Amino acid sequence: MAMTGHWPHQVEIKLDKASAAERLRRIEAWCTDWQIGFRVLGTIIDGVIRVAFEEARFARAFHAHFGGVIAPADELETALAADAAEVDLYDQLAGEYPD
């Protein structure tokens, strides 16, 4: 399983605890057979993981085979921009209301 690089194309899939290990083994085997680099991201919500890919075509192929939901490609960039805006607002308020 690859662990480096840029992984903007992601698919969320739900795993039940009883079959999670077997399903993850099938995901790894399928990606290895097709020589697709991937990364399994941590649990977002109980039982839901994200499988990330470097290319949109790999995410689409994975989705077609395993199901799940394709996450919007710009979701991470939007979240990071929102975090930066919050930090800017915090700095502005801290300057207006010193200790």
Side-chain angles (χ1 to χ4, degrees), residues 13 23-31 38 51 62 66:
I13 59 171
R23 190 143 187 225
L24 288 170
R25 278 192 289 277
R26 287 188 319 179
I27 288 169
E28 184 173 15
W30 184 84
C31 289
F38 72 102
V51 182
F62 178 89
F66 290 101

Side-chain angles (χ1 to χ4, degrees), residues 15-35:
L15 302 174
D16 66 42
K17 290 184 181 186
S19 64
E22 176 58 30
R23 190 143 187 225
L24 288 170
R25 278 192 289 277
R26 287 188 319 179
I27 288 169
E28 184 173 15
W30 184 84
C31 289
T32 300
D33 287 348
W34 287 97
Q35 299 180 352

Side-chain angles (χ1 to χ4, degrees), residues 11-21 23-24 27 40-51 62 66-69:
V11 179
E12 288 184 356
I13 59 171
K14 189 169 197 151
L15 302 174
D16 66 42
K17 290 184 181 186
S19 64
R23 190 143 187 225
L24 288 170
I27 288 169
V40 176
L41 304 180
T43 301
I44 297 170
I45 300 170
D46 193 4
V48 177
I49 63 167
R50 280 196 179 191
V51 182
F62 178 89
F66 290 101
V69 176

Side-chain angles (χ1 to χ4, degrees), residues 2 6 16 34 36-38 42 45-46 50-51 54 58 65 70 73-75 79 83-87 89 95 98-99:
H6 185 61
D16 66 42
W34 287 97
I36 296 173
F38 72 102
I45 300 170
D46 193 4
R50 280 196 179 191
V51 182
E54 292 181 298
F58 297 147
H65 188 78
I70 295 178
D74 64 347
E75 181 181 58
D83 287 347
E86 280 185 29
V87 169
L89 178 59
D99 292 336

